[in-house]
Amino acid sequence: MSLSVRWKGLSLRQQLAVAIGLVCVLALSLAGAGTLFQLHRQAKGALDDTMVSLGELLANRSAAALAFGDANTASENLAALEPLAYVSKACLLDLQGKPLARHHKSNQSPECAEPGSPLAALEYRLPVRVGGNEVGELWLRANDDALMQRLWPSLLALGGGLLFALVVALVAAVPLQRAMHRPLDRIREVATRVEESGDFTPRVPELGRHELGRLGRAFNRMLDTIQGQNDKLAERERHARALFEASHLAQLVVDQHSGRIMDANLAAAALLAPQLEPEILRGSTLWALLHVAPQALPLEGLRFGDPQLLNLQALRGADRWEAEVHVLSMDRDGHRIVHVVMEDVSERRALERAQREQTAILEQRVQERTRHLAQTIESLNDARDQLVLAEKQAALARLVAGMAHEVNTPVGNARLAVSTIAEAHTEFCRLMQTGLRRSELNHFLAQVEEGHQLAERNLQRVVELVAAFKQMSADQASSERRRFDLAQLIEEILRLMAPQLRRAACELSLQLEPGLEMNSQAGPLEQVVVNLVQNALLHGFDGLSSGRLTVEARRAESDQVELSVSDDGRGMTAEILARAFDPFFTTKMGRGGLGLGLPIVQGLVQKLLGGTMQIDSAPDQGTRVTLRLPLEAPSE
């Protein structure tokens, strides 16, 4: 077993005692080591002084013997060291390092130690001189036990002192240990009581202002916090229990492995076994009460914390009912349980089925009515197209009527001129038979020239009207893109509508900017202008003896023109203006109005010409229709 494991296995009291002992031993060991080092230095210094003094004395006595090579005298001098126990060896060496004489104790070898030997600390070398000249060397070695003999009394005294100090420290640590363990024991007693009883009301008494006292106060605060949390938890559990019991939904707590019911509320008893009390349900299995197989309500396969919704058919007596079951796997005290919330949804499912059937019937009816409505819309679209065509034909008829009236005048004038020329020719022939004078010839020629000019002017007018009508008819028929001058196009349209303007006693004002060339669909644009002018004549000047119609065209932006048709007629109220673009809305129903003029204009402007349309009007303030059209019509 390792030391760390053994240390963790000791009690706090034992750990504290061991720690105090180790600290004392360590402190005393450090103090003893320092003292021992100092004693060793002192003993070694005394030994060095003795050996050096002895060596100097012996070197002086042996100087002559060494100088003359007298080995016997040298040996006698060294033999004087025999009584000295602290000297183990001695040698006299000449200048070449060869021993002249030796001395050693009986238990020592006779060789002289070489320099650098392990015992060099106890060796001493002193020069031998005669008359100031060195003649050799004296080598001495102290006994190995000499130093210990000098240290031993001091070591015994030091060991006794350290042992005494250790005993005193351990004895003094006992009250300290008790003083530290007494507060810890009180904290442990309170913790044990709380653990055994589950009551968090006991408290640690005041232990003082030291660290253990602060620990006790912190322990008491922890108990206060735990007690407060337990009180809150208990209150929540009481509240949850009250909700559990009072819930109108059937709620059960079931063992996940066995399916055994551990708890159930009143609603569960009323749903599953009305004749039984909730306590009787406990111990029964959920599958048995529902009369279903465990596979129909698998509890074992539920994942922890993952709510599931299950639908199943259950039996209550002989009656089959549909259950909607919410299950949630939970953990309580290390045991897997399932919280089951159950509801009888038989009536709701029956209503849902009836609702689905009714919805299917309604959807079938809606489809039939949608089909009928589509047919009706198709019929209405056909009728609308016919009305639009009728409106176009009516506008064309009015143009044709105006055209006929406009052409009738120059044709009549041309006919009158031809008749006049014919009468003059008849008269000229008669005069030729009876005799023709110069004055009569000149008169005949003047009549022919005047009739010719009158007929030519009127026939040219007819040609211009027919050409304009043919161009407009071609535009209306084809609606193809072409390049045209806007001012010239508007003037040709208004020239054809001149009879209608004269009948309405309408003064026409044209403010057309020249050079506005457009690449657009002339036919729809002509129809737009015709409809706007006719709309002003029909509605704007209704009941008025005269009026003023203004047509303006100008460049609005680099790629747009602004075309406006305005009158100073009756104007429109806000209600009529709000419905101006509604199809079939008109204030002249049965009196020449179909309610399609402005809707047709809006469709042509937005869809074919790629522009926008705006109407400004007020009662007795006239009406102004403003169009913003691109010079280059969008491609279809």
Side-chain angles (χ1 to χ4, degrees), residues 590-602:
R591 293 181 293 164
L594 295 177
L596 293 175
L598 288 179
I600 291 175
V601 170
Q602 185 184 39

Side-chain angles (χ1 to χ4, degrees), residues 23-24 104 153-154 168 189 214 219 328-329 343 503 583 604 635:
V23 170
C24 292
H104 60 86
S154 300
V168 172
E189 291 173 0
R214 289 197 293 271
F219 187 78
L328 176 63
S329 177
E343 184 179 7
R503 282 196 301 270
L604 294 175
S635 301

Side-chain angles (χ1 to χ4, degrees), residues 52-99:
V52 170
S53 299
L54 177 62
E56 291 176 350
L57 178 62
L58 187 58
N60 292 331
R61 292 181 58 186
S62 304
L66 185 59
F68 293 102
D70 187 357
N72 294 328
T73 303
S75 297
E76 291 176 1
N77 291 335
L78 294 181
L81 300 176
E82 182 64 28
L84 301 178
Y86 55 85
V87 178
S88 62
K89 290 182 180 183
C91 291
L92 277 174
L93 306 174
D94 58 17
L95 292 176
Q96 286 76 31
K98 296 180 180 180

